Structure formats: C-alpha cells, structure tokens
Amino acid sequence: MRHLPILLAFLIAQSFSSISYAQIGKGGTPLSFQNEFVKQESYEIVQLAAPDMNIIEQQDIQAAQNGLFERSGVSVKANLSIETHGTWHYLPDGSRVWRLGIKIPEAIALTVVYDQFYIPPGAKLFLYNELKTQIIGAFDNDNNPSGGLFATELVEGDIITLEYQEPKHVAGKVKLDIAELCYAYRGITHLRKYNPTKTTGWGTSDACEVNVNCSPVGDNWQDEKRSVAEIWLRDGGSWGWCTGSLINNTSHDGTPYFLTANHCGGSTASAADFQVWEFYFNYEAAGCPNPAVEPSYHTLIGCQKRSVGPIAGGSDFLLVELNTTPGITINPYYNGWDRRTITTTVPGVGIHHPSGDIKKISTYNTRSIAGNINFGIGTTAPNSMWHTIFVANANGHGVTEGGSSGSPLFNSNGLTIGTLTGGNSSCTNQSGDNYYGAMFYHCLLYTSPSPR
C-alpha cells in the first residue's frame, strides 16, 4: 500500500492564535485584556480538590509493571455550568462577558472537558492561564461538536480562566457544561514556555534521543514524519501520552485514519473518551540540536474507534478516524503500509514522541518475527510482533520510551510495517528489545469479529 500525500484544495486550513497553537482557534484577544471595565471586575474562582498523589503514584508503578500506557494526568469531576457558576459583566452596548476561574492546586496543566458545548453565532470563548501567557481560542460557532462532547487543550498551571463574550441578540443560547478537568501532574513537556520558572517543561525525554530533522539520519524521512503525531488521551479517569500516525487506505480518498496501539486505551476507552482525545502534529525541532525556543504545534480534537486488536492473543493495534480532516496548515502525509512477512527490507526507522517530547527518530538494520511476548497485561499471539534492536547512527543512538507506544515502524521503502507495543530499550540499555505489532497480523490474521 503506497503513501498518499494530501495537498488537496478542498482541505480545510486552520488558523491559530498568535500566542498559543490551539485546535482550530480563530485567534484574537479576550475582551478583559483590553476593556478596563471588565478587567477591573472580579469573577468567581472555583477550587476543586486535587487527587491523592500517594495513591496515584502507587497506581502508576503497577501500571508500568503491567505494560500500560504512561499516565500523566487524572480526571477530576467538576459539574460546573455557565448557568450556575462564574460571573457576568454587562457592557453599555448590551453585550456581556462571562468569566470563570477553576483552580486545582499543584496541577502542572489543566484540560477542560465539556459534556455540553455550544457557542451561538457571533459569540466567542477564550481560555488562558494565570499569567495570561497562554491563550487558546477564540472558539466560536464553527467549533460546535455534533454531540455536545468537547475538550480544549492543555493550559499551563493550576488555574485556568474561561472567558465567554456574546452580543445581545444571542443572549441565553450558549451551553457550556463542564463535566471534568484533567489534572496533569507529569510528562507535560510542551508548556514550559508559558511559565519558564517551572521545572515541568518540554525536553524530558532521555538525552540519547535523536531529533527527527537531524541530518543525515532524518533526511530520507521528511515525508513519513509528517504523519506522526502525539496523542493526549483519556481512558476512563486516566490521561496520558501515546504516539501514532496517519495511514492511507486502498481507496486513496484521504479519510483521516490514524493508527496507534490498542493498549493506549483502545479496548477500554469509551466513545465519549475518544471524543476528547487530542492529536498534536508537527511538534518537532527544526534541526538537530534541541532548540532554545520550544517548537509550535497544531492540535486536532476527537476521533472515533474503527478497529482494534488487543495485546492478549493479538497484535496490539488501534485504528481510529479523526473527527477533523487535517488541513493544509498541518501539511499531513498519509503513510503507505506493507503487510508482508518478509524481513529483508532494511534498514529502517521508528519515529515517535518519547515521554510526550518533540518528535524523535531511531534507526535499525535488522529485525525478526518474534514469538509469544508477555507484556504483563497479556501474551501476544504467536509470531505477531516484529523484534527490533535500534543501532547507532551518524547523529546518535535513539531508543523508545513511555509515550512512544503506538508509533510506526518503517521499512527501507518508507512503508509502515508495525506499531510499537513495548520493550526494554533505553538510553542506559541501548541494545534492548523493542516489539512492534506487525501490520501483517493487524490486517490478515487477527480473527476477532471487529472490522479489520
């Protein structure tokens, strides 16, 4: 199956705020930043209880032993509504502004999850952090989801402010019901630029990792890398990082299919969970060194599950369809794939987001079909995995880490042949094992009634 670059005129281009890079935001500045009357008015700040981190730490230790995805956040129930919380400010022209602050102590960042989200025509919603250094939005009528479920991306810090402004003629039509917030407590590598005094910044992957645009190792993978994105996912009450990639289909029609690992919530996440998954594209360094200024990124929200294969008795894959087709701003690339069992198409690479960090590349020159592998939460089907050991290259010696799960393995022809399940490679164990669920098993051999 060959690659499909998408540069078609009908694709929707996204525009982004000049201060932050949000999901299909229209840009602009909240009215309270400009209007002295609104700026000086106080507004309600609701404080929610932080989770018990002693319990969270013990759960994370057990999850790591069982081979689950690396959790970085947990859900905190909210039950807040624009009808019952926050503060309204009325302006002389009949328009009005509503603001609500939400604080969860010691959070690194917060995501707001809505079970009802409707912005009427002409109205706008912004969200920003306490320092007002990160602004996402404006969200407007174009952002309304069909079923009401929505989420806005991570905002730095333990206080987030929602600011909604509407003209007089749409008063009373807005719906903003906040079901929960994600309390992010580690692995949030892309928000330090909004508050440099914190120690939770991007760049937390291990030192041996190689940036995807390093020359010469990344030179031949400039198309394939455009497909790869990191995922900020919700699975029940847990949030964490995985990686995946856009993948082509035999119709060559640009359907935004995205392939990752099933242990990234594929069999356990609900339909509502999938609606608030966040996909971060183009989060990468421009060259080989880690940059002094954090790179920008583009975010899409929401997907639907299309097909799964578990670890236990399978090959650990998850195929979803994104709710939004990536537009020209994202510059997407839909990878081809190879479902053959041959092992001679080497060397190749893995491209991934270790620990939720900027995009990295790891190289290999041998691979073999592995037997049954026990990953704690189950034993794979016989001969369903590619076994790969990464090797040194001209730019370093990449490996994989937590957050790399679900990332694609490419053969020498630039075709996807597998998705990362796990292993024990690290910067201190560079010759360790890496196991990728094989495309030939994903496509041909898994016998579940779930659609292939």
Side-chain angles (χ1 to χ4, degrees), residues 41-59:
E41 291 290 309
S42 61
Y43 58 93
E44 181 182 11
I45 298 177
V46 174
Q47 180 163 318
L48 304 177
D52 187 330
M53 292 309 299
N54 291 324
I55 295 175
I56 298 299
E57 182 178 354
Q58 292 304 311
Q59 292 173 342

Side-chain angles (χ1 to χ4, degrees), residues 95-171:
S95 65
R96 58 180 185 166
V97 177
W98 172 86
R99 285 186 291 176
L100 173 66
I102 307 173
K103 177 180 176 66
I104 309 180
E106 304 301 321
I108 295 172
L110 298 168
T111 287
V112 181
V113 180
Y114 313 80
D115 54 14
Q116 287 294 327
F117 185 97
Y118 175 78
I119 307 295
K124 299 177 182 180
L125 174 69
F126 295 92
L127 295 89
Y128 47 87
N129 64 342
E130 183 178 18
L131 297 179
K132 299 182 178 179
T133 52
Q134 183 188 7
I135 304 169
I136 63 173
F139 303 107
D140 62 15
N141 193 250
D142 292 335
N143 296 103
N144 294 331
S146 59
L149 296 174
F150 195 65
T152 41
E153 70 177 75
L154 286 161
V155 172
E156 180 275 330
D158 63 1
I159 298 178
I160 187 170
T161 294
L162 291 81
E163 181 170 326
Y164 167 77
Q165 56 193 64
E166 66 178 18
K168 181 179 180 179
H169 69 276
V170 297

Side-chain angles (χ1 to χ4, degrees), residues 213-257:
N213 291 317
C214 268
S215 182
V217 66
D219 292 350
N220 293 329
W221 305 97
Q222 292 299 295
D223 286 332
E224 293 79 6
K225 66 152 191 183
R226 289 160 38 203
S227 73
V228 179
E230 65 180 0
I231 314 166
W232 179 240
L233 64 95
R234 185 180 77 175
D235 180 7
S238 297
W239 296 73
W241 295 113
C242 277
T243 304
S245 60
L246 291 165
I247 192 160
N248 196 5
N249 67 72
T250 54
S251 296
H252 295 266
D253 60 4
T255 301
Y257 290 127

Side-chain angles (χ1 to χ4, degrees), residues 249-272:
N249 67 72
T250 54
S251 296
H252 295 266
D253 60 4
T255 301
Y257 290 127
F258 191 90
L259 184 65
T260 184
N262 183 62
H263 76 266
C264 297
S267 293
T268 51
S270 68

Side-chain angles (χ1 to χ4, degrees), residues 307-330:
S307 185
V308 297
I311 286 181
S315 54
D316 188 31
F317 77 89
L318 167 63
L319 181 71
V320 300
E321 182 178 345
L322 303 183
N323 287 352
T324 305
T325 300
I328 294 172
T329 304
I330 288 177

Side-chain angles (χ1 to χ4, degrees), residues 348-352 360-364 390 407-410 436:
V349 302
I351 299 177
H352 54 108
K360 307 290 183 177
I361 187 168
S362 305
T363 56
Y364 70 91
F390 292 119
S407 59
L409 187 71
F410 296 103
Y436 287 79

Side-chain angles (χ1 to χ4, degrees), residues 417-439:
I417 59 170
T419 48
L420 181 66
T421 293
N424 63 356
S425 72
S426 67
C427 286
T428 57
N429 184 29
Q430 295 179 335
S431 60
D433 301 310
N434 300 272
Y435 295 98
Y436 287 79
M439 283 297 297

